[in-house]
């Protein structure tokens, strides 16, 4: 049987002399052998003789006969070629060691090649032709054998065996916690989005976040644009696989490059390639991330990047949905209140005083006198508007704009309260004996089309402060003396 615990791959190079260069053809062949060892090294370490099933043992026995495979070393393989043993080992990803021990020679021949350069040799006279010839013969002799071994370790039966007995790599506890946070954020976001009943508003809010790309209709997948450290695009989704397990699926794509995936299982295993579903197939086989890849700091950074963007997206949705609900609530009329007789009478008085004041100001022709008049009574007119502005009229030094626009043939009352820097603090709009829902966004004229069926309730009218504002306006306008009548000629 295979000696899978053989530790004789270690070679002690000594007596190093100045080394010649190896030829270009030999360099190319050594790279191919090194890559072959790298591709099977991880599988070599997975073998456990005590658990190898009979069918795999038979396959290995057949492989030994075909390739002269002798034993599997900790970092390579050994061949028994009649009168000699040849070892190919790779102590790291950049180094290839080739050693030959002949039965009729006490001293072995061994060569170390690192980064495609000859870095050590043993058992040679250090002539370039001697070393190159040795390597060339060895590589040609075992080229087919190495190819057959690579095919064996890629065989689906062997892959199934190693997957059954070898623990798969899993995310660290920290990264598992992050993936759980990502899942919860994703679910919360889907709940928030589904709470928006109006289809147009639903789409507008969902796609209004600056970093979100418009997704496929009906899909819950969230796509973020340029959020990674290299401006990568991220996609995230929660999908249940064929086995009934919910997978967190993350796709990351850098501009002009192929995307890569993380299919994260509940137990922390992560696939990079899999035939996940009828519509989602990545790669031609099932491939898992290694423990080294999952423990990389880059993995943690990528998960944190996605989590932080989901946190910001969730807050954005929360703010937008709350604002939407406030507007919806504002525009809904549960019951319609009416102004009492005293308020309506006060409105008429204010309107008469307003007209009188407008006439008084209009009759002052001299600019200096008109300016002095406005300053004295703290009343301004608004250019190209029938509005009066009453400055510093409330105890809080607020100003009030008042006008009487005509809407759908009916004279209405519009009152806008201004705070510091002319910021609109409150707006009231009265038509007949009803207070219409009205939110001024500017100080200019605006056509009201959405107020006809949206009325304030009786409680809202009572809490609006309308009477207080009307009394303040009345008092200010009453302070303005009427225009003097011209004396008639006697």
């Amino acid at each position: 049987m295979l000696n899978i615990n053989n530790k004789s791959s270690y070679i002690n190079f000594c007596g190093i002399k100045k080394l010649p260069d190896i030829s270009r053809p030999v360099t190319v062949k050594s790279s191919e052998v090194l890559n072959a060892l790298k591709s099977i090294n991880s599988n070599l370490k997975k073998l456990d003789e005590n658990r190898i099933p009979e069918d795999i043992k038979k396959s290995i026995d057949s492989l030994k006969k075909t390739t002269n495979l002798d034993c599997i070393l900790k970092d390579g393989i050994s061949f028994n070629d009649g009168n000699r043993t040849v070892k190919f080992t790779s102590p790291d990803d950049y180094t290839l060691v080739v050693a030959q021990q002949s039965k009729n020679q006490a001293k072995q021949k061994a060569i170390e090649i690192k980064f495609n350069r000859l870095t050590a040799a043993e058992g040679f006279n250090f002539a370039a032709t001697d070393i190159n010839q040795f390597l060339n013969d060895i590589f040609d002799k075992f080229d087919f054998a190495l190819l057959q071994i690579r095919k064996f370790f890629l065989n689906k039966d062997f892959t199934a065996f190693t997957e059954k007995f070898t623990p798969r790599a899993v995310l660290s506890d920290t990264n598992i916690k992050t993936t759980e946070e990502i899942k919860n954020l994703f679910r919360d976001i889907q709940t928030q989005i589904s709470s928006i009943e109006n289809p147009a508003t639903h789409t507008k809010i969902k796609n209004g976040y600056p970093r979100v790309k418009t997704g496929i209709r009906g899909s819950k997948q969230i796509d973020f644009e340029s959020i990674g450290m290299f401006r990568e695009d991220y996609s995230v989704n929660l999908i249940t696989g064929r086995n009934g397990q919910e997978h967190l699926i993350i796709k990351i794509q850098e501009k002009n490059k192929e995307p890569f995936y993380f299919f994260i299982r509940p137990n922390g295993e992560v696939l990079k390639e899999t035939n996940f579903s009828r519509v989602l197939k990545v790669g031609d086989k099932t491939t898992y991330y290694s423990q080294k890849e999952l423990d990389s700091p880059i993995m943690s950074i990528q998960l944190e990047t996605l989590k932080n963007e989901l946190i910001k997206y969730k807050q954005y949705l929360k703010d937008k949905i709350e604002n939407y609900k406030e507007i919806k609530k504002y525009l809904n009329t549960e019951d319609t209140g009416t102004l009492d007789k005293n308020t309506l009478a006060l409105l008429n008085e204010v309107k008469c005083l307003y007209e009188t004041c407008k006439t008084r100001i209009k009759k002052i022709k001299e600019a200096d006198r008109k300016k002095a008049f406005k300053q004295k009574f703290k009343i301004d007119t608004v250019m190209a508007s029938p509005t009066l502005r009453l400055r510093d009229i409330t105890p809080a030094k607020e100003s009030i704009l008042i006008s009487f626009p005509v809407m759908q043939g009916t004279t209405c009352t519009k009152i806008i309260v201004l705070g510091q820097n002319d910021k609109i603090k409150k707006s009231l709009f009265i038509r007949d004996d009803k207070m219409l829902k009205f939110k001024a966004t500017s100080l200019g004229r605006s056509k009201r089309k959405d107020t006809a069926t949206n009325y304030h309730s009786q409680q809202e009218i009572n809490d609006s402060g309308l009477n207080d504002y009307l009394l303040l306006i009345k008092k200010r306008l009453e302070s303005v003396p009427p225009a003097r009548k011209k004396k008639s000629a006697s």
Side-chain angles (χ1 to χ4, degrees):
M1 190 54 204
L2 292 176
N3 178 14
I4 61 175
N5 295 313
N6 190 304
K7 298 184 179 180
S8 60
S9 61
Y10 177 74
I11 296 172
N12 182 22
F13 291 105
C14 59
I16 301 299
K17 300 179 181 180
K18 185 176 180 180
L19 300 172
D21 294 330
I22 52 178
S23 66
R24 176 63 179 168
V26 170
T27 299
V28 172
K29 291 179 181 179
S30 71
S31 295
E32 292 173 351
V33 173
L34 179 61
N35 288 332
L37 287 179
K38 286 163 63 176
S39 70
I40 65 175
N41 262 355
S42 61
N43 286 320
L44 297 179
K45 295 170 184 176
K46 293 176 183 177
L47 284 174
D48 185 339
E49 185 175 8
N50 297 322
R51 295 192 294 189
I52 297 178
E54 283 302 317
D55 58 337
I56 297 294
K57 287 180 180 179
K58 290 179 181 179
S59 297
I60 292 176
D61 289 339
S62 175
L63 185 67
K64 287 177 64 179
K65 293 176 183 178
T66 305
T67 63
N68 294 320
L69 180 65
D70 177 37
C71 65
I72 293 176
L73 311 171
K74 65 176 182 178
D75 51 11
I77 49 180
S78 173
F79 296 97
N80 191 323
D81 185 25
N83 293 323
R84 65 175 177 173
T85 299
V86 178
K87 301 173 186 175
F88 295 93
T89 55
S90 174
D92 58 56
D93 287 345
Y94 313 103
T95 306
L96 172 67
V97 177
V98 182
Q100 174 184 287
Q101 180 67 62
S102 299
K103 289 183 178 180
N104 57 359
Q105 291 179 341
K107 193 174 183 180
Q108 73 169 351
K109 290 184 176 183
I111 287 176
E112 179 185 81
I113 302 170
K114 185 186 287 285
F115 294 109
N116 292 327
R117 296 187 64 185
L118 184 64
T119 53
E122 180 184 276
F124 294 91
N125 63 9
F126 293 95
T129 53
D130 189 18
I131 292 175
N132 278 290
Q133 187 63 49
F134 169 79
L135 289 172
N136 195 63
D137 290 346
I138 289 284
F139 291 151
D140 285 348
K141 174 67 178 177
F142 294 100
D143 179 66
F144 176 76
L146 287 167
L147 176 62
Q148 294 301 108
I149 292 170
R150 288 184 73 180
K151 285 183 177 179
F152 170 77
F153 283 114
L154 292 174
N155 182 279
K156 63 180 181 179
D157 293 332
F158 180 79
T159 302
F161 158 70
T162 56
E163 285 186 0
K164 183 177 180 180
F165 291 104
T166 305
R168 295 196 187 104
V170 294
L171 292 167
S172 66
D173 290 343
T174 300
N175 284 343
I176 286 178
K177 180 182 177 184
T178 304
T179 59
E180 288 302 316
E181 290 172 328
I182 289 172
K183 290 179 186 178
N184 291 333
L185 285 165
F186 183 88
R187 294 187 188 101
D188 290 345
I189 286 170
Q190 297 306 322
T191 300
Q192 286 178 310
I193 292 173
S194 62
S195 71
I196 309 170
E197 298 174 357
N198 182 279
T201 305
H202 175 108
T203 302
K204 183 179 179 181
I205 291 178
K206 178 183 177 182
N207 297 328
Y209 184 69
R211 293 294 185 187
V212 156
K213 295 193 291 185
T214 302
I216 301 172
R217 184 178 179 87
S219 172
K220 293 183 178 181
Q221 178 172 297
I222 302 172
D223 301 304
F224 292 117
E225 190 172 31
S226 301
I227 65 169
M229 69 173 104
F230 301 112
R231 315 311 300 166
E232 306 102 312
D233 295 345
Y234 278 62
S235 297
V236 59
N237 205 348
L238 272 178
I239 303 179
T240 301
R242 296 186 178 97
N243 58 3
Q245 285 186 329
E246 186 180 59
H247 288 64
L248 174 64
I249 301 178
I250 300 171
K251 182 179 79 170
I252 302 176
Q253 183 168 19
E254 194 173 345
K255 189 175 182 181
N256 299 325
K257 292 186 179 180
E258 286 295 314
F260 54 92
Y261 288 80
F262 298 103
F263 296 87
I264 303 174
R265 289 177 171 172
N267 62 0
E269 296 173 354
V270 187
L271 297 94
K272 63 172 70 174
E273 294 180 335
T274 186
N275 184 358
F276 188 80
S277 67
R278 183 175 58 85
V279 296
L280 181 56
K281 179 183 178 182
V282 179
D284 298 320
K285 57 184 179 180
T286 298
T287 309
Y288 291 83
Y289 282 91
S290 68
Q291 195 62 57
K292 183 178 179 181
E293 290 173 314
L294 296 186
D295 291 341
S296 167
I298 295 296
M299 184 73 186
S300 298
I301 292 171
Q302 289 167 333
L303 291 174
E304 284 292 328
T305 296
L306 177 59
K307 184 188 83 170
N308 292 335
E309 201 65 35
L310 286 169
I311 289 172
K312 289 186 278 189
Y313 186 40
K314 179 182 174 182
Q315 185 61 47
Y316 155 84
L317 290 171
K318 180 176 180 290
D319 295 341
K320 288 293 183 180
I321 291 171
E322 285 180 355
N323 185 54
Y324 164 69
K325 288 180 178 178
E326 284 296 318
I327 293 173
K328 186 177 178 182
K329 180 181 178 182
Y330 177 79
L331 294 178
N332 284 340
T333 302
E334 295 179 359
D335 65 279
T336 302
T338 57
L339 276 60
D340 58 39
K341 293 181 179 179
N342 292 334
T343 302
L344 291 173
L346 184 56
L347 262 175
N348 286 329
E349 288 184 72
V350 167
K351 187 174 185 305
C352 292
L353 290 168
Y354 165 90
E355 297 294 346
T356 300
C357 184
K358 290 279 290 182
T359 302
R360 179 76 174 86
I361 293 172
K362 187 177 181 180
K363 287 187 175 181
I364 303 174
K365 303 300 182 183
E366 298 85 354
D368 290 344
R369 284 186 60 217
K370 184 173 290 190
K371 181 179 179 180
F373 177 90
K374 291 179 179 179
Q375 288 178 342
K376 178 179 180 181
F377 298 105
K378 294 184 178 181
I379 296 175
D380 290 325
T381 54
V382 178
M383 185 176 294
S385 172
T387 303
L388 287 180
R389 174 174 178 160
L390 313 178
R391 290 181 284 108
D392 301 335
I393 193 171
T394 70
K397 299 298 181 182
E398 298 163 322
S399 298
I400 289 179
L401 295 179
I402 182 168
S403 61
F404 294 88
V406 175
M407 185 174 116
Q408 297 177 353
T410 302
T411 300
C412 305
T413 304
K414 182 167 72 171
I415 295 172
I416 298 177
V417 182
L418 304 178
Q420 192 174 9
N421 299 322
D422 287 347
K423 183 178 180 180
I424 297 175
K425 297 183 67 175
K426 183 178 287 189
S427 44
L428 306 174
F429 198 97
I430 296 97
R431 185 176 69 178
D432 297 327
D433 61 349
K434 306 288 191 298
M435 182 180 288
L436 280 64
K437 291 185 175 180
F438 163 65
K439 190 172 184 179
T441 56
S442 68
L443 303 184
R445 292 187 179 185
S446 59
K447 293 182 179 180
R448 300 303 307 158
K449 295 181 179 180
D450 60 339
T451 54
T453 56
N454 299 311
Y455 301 96
H456 282 287
S457 67
Q458 192 63 54
Q459 187 62 49
E460 288 170 331
I461 291 175
N462 296 340
D463 296 339
S464 68
L466 174 62
N467 274 34
D468 294 334
Y469 290 127
L470 289 174
L471 288 171
L472 289 171
I473 295 169
K474 178 185 176 186
K475 183 177 179 180
R476 174 64 62 85
L477 294 178
E478 283 179 336
S479 67
V480 178
R484 294 180 181 179
K485 293 181 180 180
K486 291 184 179 180
K487 294 181 179 180
S488 58
S490 56

